[in-house]
């Protein structure tokens, strides 16, 4: 950040991503600009929550945490709209960091991806609240004066949103923050008390802190919102709109929730949960920290958010609030660890969410598919992390298969298994379309056997711990053991189980000789119908896709030699076999053919060729020879 100091005032550049975000703000990505007020009130309310909690753990702050209130005051003469709060405030460093960069992890990278096309981007931006910067939708200049709790000096921050901002020493009588928006031309709507009242009521009714409108300098403050914690109110007194608005506030989200769960647990542990399942995928779902963002309250007092002990990692997409009656108010970070109350709440939440999901899955398969599409890859992490919920999670899981374009449950799969089929067949890969064309599937398709298509990286991990579903083992079709002989052919076009193995014995021996250590074995295939050859893993070796995946993630894995399977029904294989059987000349030429078969199988599998130059040379040689025929 470039800084030019002039006395106490300093001018700095915005972080590049903030610049882009501001650009989008000015060109107004939202059709409803009024959300700026919601965003600012939401920040002010968070700031009050933080000070309330700060005062509980730090006696020095106790005197400053009094009568929390947010005010909204228009000034028609000055054409300004001013928001104040008596929350925690910001130090000089915090002003620079919070209002000059995008602090939340992953957000900067996300903004980087935005295309600049307002229409397209607004959908993406909708995934997270744009926060403070949305003030620039209506303001040509924004001034923030803030005094941090525990400090005696205040600082100001000012910007016109065009690349730079200024910070300086300032005056403020007490702790808190004042934000003044100098409205753009044509934005006089935000000076009208009835309009402001309506926005506050619509978007901020659920905020537990009073939001007061001060119509003009002489007017008395008038509290506009209900100012009681939404989750503490009875369910039948809360409208869907109020729930949705609360979700936007706690979830920093713009979509509407896919499901809303609001309940009060009573018994030996008492708490209230208000949880939301989003209807669109948050952009930071796959960040390595796997953090949740649930807010923890104790008897209506905000404590902290993202407590790992409160929610399993595989439910991190949930948004909302948990308010405990049993935890102490002065709960420190250390006390959160190994806390038996938290553990019980976590179990309660998990069960509750799983029940809800099961009910939704039973009631409306299509709507459930939307959920699974978004969050299935996360929920599946629970299959290997949470043994206690494994069975229930397997019931909730949905899969793509070779037979169906929709999502299929394991129960459905098992119910329509082929006669004599004893295993649940799977194949793993990076993308659905490529997987569907895998040669390993040919025999299964011909025999009418259904195979689960696993395309999420997490699939490799749970399939190695969850070995069966209702007594049926899971078997990868890319393994040697997944033979088809048990499945009765559905039609006569399928591979013939009775194909004499010895028929291409000469060819197999010649290929084996040529390839040596490069393969573990060369065998006759009963799984291929159209392709000449494919690679499979030996029964106890690592699956081919998993090996690739681990290498992509920088893990050192030994390359296990694979088994090369040849299709004795394929005309090319038959001709090669005939020529091997015809005499010793052909055996010499076999070396090139053998390597070409292996490289072909590698390419189809999605593996890279260890020696592409040798492949090209052999290919040229063979083409030249055949062109001359
Ligand atoms: P978000 O609220 O999503 O984190 P914002 O851009 O709205 O993003 O705000 C950035 C940060 O600035 C907040 O996380 C908070 O730390 C700080 N902040 C914003 N408004 C206030 C306020 N009124 N009082 C204290 N801190 C604030």
């Amino acid at each position: 950040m470039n800084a030019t100091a002039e006395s106490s005032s300093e001018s700095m550049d915005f972080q590049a991503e903030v610049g882009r975000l501001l650009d989008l703000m000015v060109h107004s990505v939202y059709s409803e600009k009024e959300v700026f007020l919601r965003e600012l009130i939401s920040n002010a309310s968070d700031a009050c929550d933080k000070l309330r909690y700060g005062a509980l753990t730090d006696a020095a702050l106790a005197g400053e945490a009094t009568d929390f209130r947010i005010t909204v005051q228009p000034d028609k003469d000055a054409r300004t709209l001013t928001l104040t709060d008596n929350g925690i405030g910001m130090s000089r460093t915090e002003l620079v960091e919070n209002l000059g960069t995008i602090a939340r992890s992953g957000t900067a990278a996300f903004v980087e991806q935005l295309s600049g096309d307002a229409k397209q981007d607004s959908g993406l931006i909708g995934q997270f609240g744009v926060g403070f910067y949305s003030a620039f939708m209506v303001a040509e200049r924004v001034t923030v004066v803030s005094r941090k709790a525990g400090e005696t000096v205040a600082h100001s921050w000012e910007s016109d949103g065009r690349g730079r901002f200024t910070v300086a020493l300032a005056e403020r009588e007490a702790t808190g923050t004042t934000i003044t928006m100098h409205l753009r031309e044509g934005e006089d709507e935000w000076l009208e008390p009835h309009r402001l009242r309506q926005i506050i009521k619509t978007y901020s009714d659920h905020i537990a802190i009073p939001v007061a409108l001060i119509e003009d300098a002489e007017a008395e403050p008038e509290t506009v919102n209900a100012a009681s914690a939404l989750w503490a109110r009875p369910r039948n007194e809360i409208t869907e709109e109020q729930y949705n608005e609360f979700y936007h506030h706690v979830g920093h989200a713009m979509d509407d929730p896919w499901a809303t769960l609001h309940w009060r647990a009573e018994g030996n542990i008492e708490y209230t949960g208000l949880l939301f399942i989003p209807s669109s995928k948050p952009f930071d779902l796959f960040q390595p920290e796997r953090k949740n963002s649930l807010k923890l309250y104790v008897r209506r007092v905000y404590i902290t958010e993202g407590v790992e002990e409160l929610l399993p990692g595989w439910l991190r997409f949930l948004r909302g609030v948990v308010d405990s009656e049993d935890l102490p108010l002065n709960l420190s970070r250390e006390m959160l660890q190994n806390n038996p109350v938290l553990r019980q709440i976590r179990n309660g939440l998990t069960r509750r969410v799983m029940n809800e999901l099961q009910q939704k899955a039973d009631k409306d398969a299509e709507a459930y598919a939307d959920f699974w599409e978004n969050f299935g890859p996360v929920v599946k992490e629970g299959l290997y992390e949470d043994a206690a919920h494994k069975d229930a999670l397997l019931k909730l899981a949905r899969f793509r298969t070779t037979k169906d374009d929709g999502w299929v449950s394991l129960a459905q799969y098992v119910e329509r298994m082929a006669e004599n089929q004893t295993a649940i067949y799977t194949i793993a890969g990076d993308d659905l379309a490529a997987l569907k064309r895998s040669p390993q599937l040919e025999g299964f398709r011909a025999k009418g056997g259904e195979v689960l298509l696993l395309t999420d990286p997490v699939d490799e991990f749970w399939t190695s711990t969850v070995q069966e579903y209702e007594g049926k083992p899971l078997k990868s079709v890319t393994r040697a053991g997944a033979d088809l002989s048990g499945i009765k052919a559905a039609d006569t076009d399928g591979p013939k189980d009775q194909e004499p193995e010895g028929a291409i014995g000469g060819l197999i021996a010649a290929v084996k000789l040529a390839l040596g250590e490069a393969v573990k074995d060369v065998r006759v295939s009963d799984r291929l119908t159209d392709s000449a050859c494919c690679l499979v893993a030996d029964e106890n070796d690592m699956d081919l896709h998993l090996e690739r995946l681990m290498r992509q993630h920088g893990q050192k894995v030994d390359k296990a030699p694979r088994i090369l399977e040849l299709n004795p029904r394929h005309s090319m294989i038959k001709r090669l076999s005939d020529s091997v059987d015809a005499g010793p000349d052909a055996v010499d030429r076999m070396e090139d053919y053998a390597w070409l078969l292996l490289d072909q199988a590698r390419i189809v599998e999605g593996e890279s060729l260890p020696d592409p130059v040798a492949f090209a040379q052999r290919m040229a040689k063979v083409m030249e020879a055949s062109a001359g025929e």
Side-chain angles (χ1 to χ4, degrees):
M1 213 166 283
N2 297 327
T4 48
E6 346 160 335
S7 63
S8 73
S9 150
E10 213 178 316
S11 168
M12 303 185 194
D13 287 333
F14 280 116
Q15 181 192 24
E17 291 80 6
V18 177
R20 292 199 65 178
L21 200 56
L22 283 170
D23 234 29
L24 283 162
M25 287 297 117
V26 175
H27 299 107
S28 194
V29 292
Y30 293 123
S31 47
E32 291 160 83
K33 288 186 186 178
E34 65 197 36
V35 298
F36 80 91
L37 195 55
R38 168 192 71 191
E39 297 291 313
L40 297 182
I41 292 176
S42 183
N43 281 345
S45 141
D46 288 347
C48 294
D49 276 350
K50 282 182 199 157
L51 179 54
R52 180 165 15 212
Y53 176 62
L56 288 171
T57 43
D58 180 353
L61 300 182
E64 300 183 54
T66 48
D67 292 339
F68 289 108
R69 195 175 66 173
I70 299 164
T71 66
V72 177
Q73 184 171 1
D75 181 335
K76 282 192 172 156
D77 299 330
R79 294 196 64 257
T80 58
L81 180 65
T82 301
L83 226 100
T84 65
D85 67 66
N86 50 359
I88 190 127
M90 283 175 274
S91 64
R92 187 181 184 286
T93 318
E94 284 169 335
L95 280 171
V96 172
E97 275 173 15
N98 294 340
L99 311 184
T101 63
I102 301 183
R104 231 179 322 144
S105 78
T107 312
F110 175 77
V111 170
E112 187 98 310
Q113 290 169 17
L114 298 176
S115 65
D117 177 279
K119 224 174 158 171
Q120 201 178 330
D121 289 344
S122 66
L124 284 171
I125 279 199
Q127 293 181 20
F128 63 98
V130 280
F132 170 77
Y133 301 113
S134 61
F136 288 96
M137 289 197 291
V138 300
E140 58 184 10
R141 187 155 55 89
V142 178
T143 312
V144 180
V145 177
S146 194
R147 188 169 131 187
K148 168 108 179 168
E151 291 188 3
T152 48
V153 289
H155 294 91
S156 68
W157 176 105
E158 185 169 280
S159 178
D160 60 6
R162 285 194 230 128
R164 293 177 81 74
F165 62 90
T166 312
V167 281
L169 270 175
E171 296 281 324
R172 200 179 192 282
E173 228 169 84
T175 298
T177 303
T178 305
I179 299 176
T180 304
M181 283 158 279
H182 301 264
L183 298 175
R184 288 176 195 283
E185 197 129 342
E187 302 291 349
D188 293 13
E189 194 179 341
W190 323 113
L191 297 170
E192 294 302 331
H194 72 272
R195 183 79 174 98
L196 295 169
R197 209 175 280 121
Q198 177 221 345
I199 302 173
I200 298 168
K201 198 74 196 145
T202 310
Y203 295 109
S204 309
D205 201 45
H206 58 79
I207 297 265
I209 288 161
V211 181
L213 180 69
I214 306 177
E215 284 203 21
D216 55 61
E218 277 93 55
E220 284 295 309
E222 159 208 348
T223 301
V224 180
N225 64 335
S228 74
L230 186 84
W231 63 91
R233 299 183 213 162
R235 267 195 320 214
N236 57 10
E237 289 174 20
I238 307 175
T239 64
E240 191 179 338
E241 286 71 34
Q242 286 174 318
Y243 275 129
N244 290 356
E245 271 319 316
F246 186 67
Y247 164 68
H248 296 155
H249 166 65
V250 284
H252 288 286
M254 297 290 283
D255 59 339
D256 284 341
W258 179 79
T260 301
L261 288 75
H262 185 192
W263 79 105
R264 194 179 155 74
E266 275 157 357
N268 63 0
I269 296 277
E270 290 185 16
Y271 64 90
T272 301
L274 174 50
L275 302 185
F276 301 95
I277 300 175
S279 57
S280 62
K281 203 188 306 199
F283 66 95
D284 54 0
L285 204 53
F286 290 102
Q287 258 152 39
E289 315 93 73
R290 302 170 73 230
K291 269 188 75 144
N292 74 67
S293 67
L294 278 200
K295 293 193 186 227
L296 175 65
Y297 283 74
V298 171
R299 294 186 285 286
R300 256 68 63 215
V301 176
Y302 171 77
I303 305 293
T304 184
E305 69 171 46
V307 178
E308 258 173 66
E309 290 75 6
L310 198 55
L311 199 69
W314 52 273
L315 284 176
R316 63 186 176 276
F317 52 86
L318 289 172
R319 300 288 180 258
V321 165
V322 174
D323 189 350
S324 159
E325 299 292 327
D326 303 298
L327 291 166
L329 270 172
N330 58 350
L331 195 66
S332 64
R333 276 266 160 199
E334 297 72 55
M335 285 162 71
L336 294 171
Q337 279 153 24
N338 292 324
N339 188 306
V341 175
L342 279 181
R343 200 172 319 125
Q344 287 198 48
I345 298 180
R346 173 191 170 114
N347 290 339
L349 297 184
T350 308
R351 268 199 312 274
R352 177 68 211 230
V353 172
M354 288 178 67
N355 285 344
E356 179 78 16
L357 289 175
Q358 191 60 57
Q359 273 176 25
K360 293 238 175 204
D362 294 342
K363 228 169 54 197
D364 187 346
E366 222 167 284
Y368 184 69
D370 291 340
F371 162 79
W372 192 258
E373 185 103 37
N374 283 331
F375 302 114
V378 180
V379 173
K380 282 188 283 189
E381 292 170 11
L383 285 170
Y384 60 88
E385 279 183 355
D386 236 329
H389 298 298
K390 190 192 75 187
D391 292 336
L393 285 175
L394 281 175
K395 284 204 184 86
L396 289 172
R398 295 292 179 272
F399 300 92
R400 300 290 190 193
T401 84
T402 45
K403 264 202 185 160
D404 213 305
D405 286 333
W407 290 96
V408 175
S409 69
L410 287 175
Q412 277 169 296
Y413 178 96
V414 167
E415 199 187 286
R416 62 195 195 198
M417 267 177 20
E419 210 178 314
N420 300 333
Q421 184 182 341
T422 52
I424 295 170
Y425 291 113
T426 65
I427 185 165
D430 299 331
D431 111 87
L432 206 60
L435 260 192
K436 281 185 177 166
R437 293 198 311 267
S438 297
Q440 285 101 336
L441 291 176
E442 290 171 4
F444 287 86
R445 197 170 283 127
K447 282 195 160 190
E450 186 168 17
V451 180
L452 303 181
L453 305 167
L454 307 177
T455 52
D456 294 315
V458 57
D459 290 325
E460 292 289 3
F461 300 100
W462 72 262
T463 48
S464 50
T465 40
V466 178
Q467 272 143 5
E468 51 138 63
Y469 168 77
E470 300 204 333
K472 311 269 185 305
L474 270 87
K475 262 193 174 172
S476 163
V477 301
T478 62
R479 273 178 200 282
D483 72 304
L484 285 147
S485 45
I487 309 178
K488 214 170 124 209
D491 55 54
T492 48
D493 297 337
K496 320 243 173 335
D497 299 333
Q498 67 277 17
E499 190 77 30
E501 287 235 350
I504 60 166
L507 175 67
I508 295 221
V511 173
K512 232 187 253 188
L513 187 71
L515 299 180
E517 302 274 289
V519 289
K520 197 161 195 176
D521 199 5
V522 182
R523 290 182 194 164
V524 173
S525 178
D526 68 353
R527 75 184 80 220
L528 297 172
T529 58
D530 303 332
S531 302
C533 55
C534 71
L535 285 176
V536 298
D538 202 0
E539 189 93 42
N540 297 314
D541 285 346
M542 192 182 281
D543 205 55
L544 286 86
H545 178 244
L546 178 59
E547 189 185 293
R548 274 202 300 283
L549 204 68
M550 291 181 71
R551 219 170 296 122
Q552 276 164 19
H553 284 82
Q555 304 219 24
K556 279 210 170 58
V557 275
D558 288 335
K559 238 180 143 50
R562 300 307 183 182
I563 296 169
L564 178 66
E565 287 196 352
L566 303 182
N567 177 2
R569 295 161 293 273
H570 194 279
S571 57
M572 183 259 281
I573 297 291
K574 276 188 191 154
R575 281 190 62 179
L576 288 181
S577 171
D578 289 347
S579 74
V580 170
D581 294 344
D585 289 0
V587 176
D588 292 344
R589 263 185 287 135
M590 231 28 243
E591 174 143 3
D592 283 337
Y593 290 150
W595 285 104
L596 281 171
L597 285 171
L598 176 59
D599 282 347
Q600 228 184 85
R602 283 172 170 152
I603 291 170
V604 172
E605 185 52 45
E607 309 251 308
S608 55
L609 296 183
D611 190 349
V613 174
F615 168 74
Q617 285 169 349
R618 286 195 186 101
M619 187 69 141
K621 214 160 123 191
V622 169
M623 285 170 80
E624 190 185 341
S626 68
E629 271 173 17

